[in-house]
Structures are given as C-alpha cells and as structure tokens.
Amino acid sequence: MALLIAALREGSAHVEALLTLARSEVDGNIRAIVSLVAIVGTIPILLIVTFFLGLDGVVKLLALPLGSEAPAALIVAAPFIIMALWLGWLGARRMALSNLEPWRTWRQAKRTVRDVAGTEA
C-alpha cells in the first residue's frame, strides 16, 4: 500500500512538471507567433509609407526646376491617373450588360441552334 501511495505521489509530480513545461512551451510559442505576425504586419505598412515618401520626394525634386509643386505633382501623378482610367475602362467593358453570363449563354445557344439548323438543311 505504501508503494502505491508513493507511486501516485511521484506520478502526480511528473504530471505537474509536464503540465508546467507544456504551459511554458505554449506561452513561448504564442509569443513567437505574435511577434512574427507583428513583424510581417508592419513590413507592408513601412513599404507603403516608403513609396509615398518617395513620390513626395520626386514631386519636391521636380518642383525645383518647374517653380511650383502643382505641375510637378501632376507629372508624378499622370502615370497613376492613366492607369486608373485604363483599369476603369477595362472594368466597365467587363461589367457591360452584353458580357453577363446569361447573355453570353443565350448568344451561344442561338449560335448552336443556327449551326445545327444550317448543317441539317
């Protein structure tokens, strides 16, 4: 009986040590994951800020020979405006009523009926 009680005491001590170790490992892993997410989350923010600061620097650099920031800003923004207009035009073409799936299917069905009727005649 004394051996059984000693074994239970030792077993509970081992389980307690194992749970303490598991708790510390999980805490460490959670801290590592949170820090990695924080680092990975700040990288795009820093890249975006760097991009806009670079654009601002180019505007200021072009403003020196032009004498004003307005035309320099227009020159720097022109490629972005052109790209936005082009993407808007492409999006409007894609979203036109004639490109919607039911209309395309209906046109294809009419074309198929025309082809089948043409080959039977």
Side-chain angles (χ1 to χ4, degrees):
M1 187 71 169
L3 287 176
L4 185 60
I5 293 172
L8 286 175
R9 249 188 246 131
E10 289 295 320
S12 66
H14 285 306
V15 168
E16 185 180 342
L18 181 66
L19 289 176
T20 304
L21 178 64
R23 191 177 309 122
S24 66
E25 286 291 323
V26 168
D27 287 344
N29 289 341
I30 289 174
R31 282 192 187 113
I33 289 172
V34 167
S35 67
L36 283 175
V37 167
I39 290 171
V40 170
T42 56
I43 289 172
I45 293 170
L46 290 175
L47 287 174
I48 291 169
V49 168
T50 303
F51 175 72
F52 283 116
L53 286 175
L55 284 179
D56 187 44
V58 171
V59 167
K60 301 255 189 246
L61 190 65
L62 278 175
L64 289 175
L66 295 177
S68 175
E69 282 192 21
L74 189 62
I75 291 170
V76 171
F80 298 101
I81 293 170
I82 291 169
M83 186 63 72
L85 290 174
W86 181 63
L87 288 173
W89 178 73
L90 283 177
R93 276 188 44 210
R94 290 282 181 143
M95 292 188 300
L97 283 176
S98 61
N99 283 337
L100 293 177
E101 186 63 37
W103 290 108
R104 288 193 324 207
T105 304
W106 179 248
R107 284 195 309 257
Q108 183 62 40
K110 287 188 341 189
R111 204 173 298 133
T112 303
V113 167
R114 207 172 341 144
D115 291 344
V116 169
T119 57
E120 289 179 3

